[in-house]
């Protein structure tokens, strides 16, 4: 509901979940599972219906003004969004939809209503959770609201199956939300191995305008405290102070757009680069298409993923598929995404991060071995495998009796008024 799978990842609220929904849908369709994706219309230019490929249709639903609504404002549009979905379904044959798979808690609330109305199973993927984010909140990030926690708990209770990206996320659903372990399935996201693949680093560097002898450190993602691009800048400043001769070769690439609280202070990273004395070494690159993104990853010595929390960390696997050495925080789903083919760092101390990065760029033999292992590790993640596992989850949901109806008195209590006026 809060972001379209057709949006450019890396800015606003568009990120790994957008990629997940679109890529999984395409692979499901190729397996014979037709997919309608309902998303909120955010521009007058959005066509009501977009056929991405045979079997995958994106339907833009009018729910509130096209522009000017933050994600925090969207609970008030749940009813409008649900009504738009019901209008579409009213024109379809009876029993047209076999199952609802909702992504993120806002969509989970609407998916709960739709699944009950259509008398079909509800499968839900959280992607991120309020209680987890609040446990790992970055400095400058607001605490996730109590209303979101309540909404997530309701969806966990209502869903017939819950899909977790990693075993860690499955444990969080069980431990923090009381999910029934028998209803939780682990399905790791995939990577497009045709796009994200190894290649000649020198060719890649010429393509993105980076000197062949440079030391290129790369951050890819939305610019917000949760993703912690500041950690890479502080670590880079530390590296230059340790080894002044590095200044002539160091390039720090920041690929992404402002998101979340960073929208209110768009120049914060530029000011930090100045404070660290590396403003002349940093390149800020707006979100780009996937082919160009893969080229940047092939060009990099290190791709840093310093997030405070990630349900999976898709960018880490995409970078590894390109042969990049990934240095990532040891948190959330990143240990699963990175495995032993990268470097995991405890915490966000820039000195520790500088040590970890230095251990890669100063040791070409180790870097080459990590690059080789990265490609092997990433090869285990494909969208085809993700779709196959999702299809098995759908089969399990369809084979089991449906859970409690939204009309049951014990479930009705506490339903947000935007859904049940």
């Amino acid at each position: 509901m809060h972001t379209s799978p057709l949006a450019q990842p890396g800015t606003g609220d568009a990120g790994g979940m957008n990629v997940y929904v679109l890529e999984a849908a395409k692979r499901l369709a190729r397996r014979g599972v037709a997919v309608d994706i309902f998303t909120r219309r955010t521009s007058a230019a959005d066509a009501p219906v977009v056929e991405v490929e045979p079997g995958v249709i994106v339907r833009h639903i009018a729910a509130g003004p096209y522009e000017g609504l933050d994600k925090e404002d969207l609970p008030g549009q749940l009813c409008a969004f649900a009504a738009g979905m019901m209008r579409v379904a009213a024109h379809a044959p009876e029993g047209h939809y076999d199952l609802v798979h909702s992504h993120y808690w806002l969509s989970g609330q609407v998916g709960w209503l739709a699944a009950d109305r259509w008398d079909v199973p509800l499968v839900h993927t959280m992607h991120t959770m309020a209680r987890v984010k609040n446990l790992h909140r970055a400095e400058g990030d607001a605490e996730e609201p109590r209303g979101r926690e309540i909404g997530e708990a309701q969806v966990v209770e209502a869903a017939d199956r819950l899909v977790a990206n990693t075993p860690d996320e499955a444990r969080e659903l069980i431990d923090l939300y009381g999910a029934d372990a028998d209803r939780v399935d682990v399905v790791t996201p995939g990577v497009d191995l045709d796009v994200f693949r190894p290649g000649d680093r020198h060719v890649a560097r010429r393509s993105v305008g980076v000197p062949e002898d440079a030391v290129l450190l790369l951050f890819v993602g939305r610019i917000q405290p949760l993703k912690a691009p500041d950690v890479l800048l502080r670590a880079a400043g530390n590296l230059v102070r340790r080894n002044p001769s590095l200044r002539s070769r160091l390039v720090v690439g920041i690929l992404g757009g402002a998101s979340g609280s960073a929208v209110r202070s768009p120049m914060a990273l530029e000011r930090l680069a100045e404070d660290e004395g590396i403003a002349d070494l940093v390149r800020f690159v707006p979100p780009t298409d996937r082919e160009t993104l893969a080229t940047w990853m092939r060009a990099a010595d290190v791709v840093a993923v310093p997030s405070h929390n990630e349900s999976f960390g898709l960018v880490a696997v995409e970078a590894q598929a390109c042969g990049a050495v990934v240095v990532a925080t040891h948190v959330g789903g990143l240990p699963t995404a990175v495995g032993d083919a990268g470097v995991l760092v405890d915490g966000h101390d820039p000195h520790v991060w500088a040590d970890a990065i230095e251990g890669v760029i100063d040791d070409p033999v180790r870097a080459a071995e990590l690059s080789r292992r990265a490609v092997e590790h990433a090869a285990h993640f494909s969208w085809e495998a993700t779709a196959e596992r999702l299809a098995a989850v759908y089969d399990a949901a369809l084979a089991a009796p449906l859970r409690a109806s939204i009309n049951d008195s014990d479930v009705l209590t506490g339903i947000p008024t935007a859904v049940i006026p």
Side-chain angles (χ1 to χ4, degrees), residues 72-380:
E72 293 73 18
D73 299 323
L74 292 179
Q77 299 304 318
L78 290 173
C79 186
F81 191 78
M85 287 181 62
M86 296 303 109
R87 281 193 292 271
V88 171
H91 293 284
E94 187 73 22
H96 180 67
Y97 293 111
D98 297 295
L99 178 142
V100 174
H101 186 173
S102 52
H103 296 264
Y104 193 68
W105 79 276
L106 290 168
S107 299
Q109 288 279 318
V110 178
W112 175 16
L113 178 67
D116 182 78
R117 173 65 181 83
W118 300 334
D119 196 28
V120 300
L122 172 65
V123 175
H124 182 72
T125 304
M126 283 291 192
H127 293 282
T128 65
M129 293 176 272
R131 290 172 183 169
V132 176
K133 290 184 74 173
N134 285 339
L135 287 172
H136 302 281
R137 187 158 48 100
E139 183 178 350
D141 254 358
E143 186 173 3
E144 292 297 319
R146 174 69 173 155
R148 175 179 173 179
E149 289 191 38
I150 294 170
E152 288 175 343
Q154 290 172 330
V155 174
V156 167
E157 175 61 28
D160 295 275
R161 308 294 303 184
L162 293 160
V163 175
N165 288 325
T166 65
D168 277 347
E169 187 180 358
R171 284 191 291 272
E172 290 164 346
L173 280 165
I174 295 164
D175 295 343
L176 298 179
Y177 288 86
D180 179 355
D182 292 335
R183 294 188 293 114
V184 179
D185 300 284
V186 176
V187 179
T188 55
V191 59
D192 189 335
L193 297 172
D194 292 328
V195 173
F196 297 95
R197 62 190 186 280
D200 189 303
R201 176 177 290 180
H202 300 298
V203 172
R205 291 189 168 193
R206 286 196 295 272
S207 179
V208 298
V210 172
E212 291 194 14
D213 66 342
V215 174
L216 175 59
L217 310 181
L218 191 63
F219 169 91
V220 177
R222 287 171 286 156
I223 310 301
Q224 61 176 203
L226 179 70
K227 302 294 184 180
D230 61 291
V231 172
L232 178 58
L233 293 185
R234 296 180 198 278
N238 197 289
L239 287 169
V240 169
R241 288 189 290 274
R242 292 182 187 184
N243 180 11
S245 66
L246 185 61
R247 169 175 287 279
S248 63
R249 295 191 298 131
L250 186 65
V251 177
V252 183
I254 305 293
L255 275 66
S259 176
S261 58
V263 174
R264 295 186 289 273
S265 54
M267 303 301 292
L269 281 188
E270 286 88 339
R271 289 194 295 270
L272 176 59
E274 292 175 0
D275 292 344
E276 290 289 333
I278 59 169
D280 57 322
L281 311 181
V282 181
R283 295 191 187 181
F284 292 97
V285 181
T288 185
D289 63 86
R290 295 192 305 162
E291 291 284 358
T292 304
L293 175 59
T295 301
W296 273 99
M297 289 173 168
R298 285 191 283 271
D301 290 279
V302 169
V303 174
V305 187
S307 305
H308 288 268
N309 188 61
E310 290 284 355
S311 62
F312 181 65
L314 185 59
V315 70
V317 185
E318 291 174 340
Q320 288 186 316
C322 294
V325 178
V326 171
V327 179
T329 318
H330 195 291
V331 67
L334 285 170
T336 299
V338 174
D340 63 357
V343 180
L344 293 170
V345 180
D346 291 320
H348 297 85
D349 186 326
H351 298 280
V352 177
W353 273 80
D355 290 342
I357 293 170
E358 197 171 49
V360 174
I361 63 177
D362 286 352
D363 189 341
V365 174
R366 182 185 183 215
E369 173 61 15
L370 285 172
S371 175
R372 182 189 66 79
R373 282 158 50 187
V375 174
E376 291 181 353
H377 177 72
H380 295 290

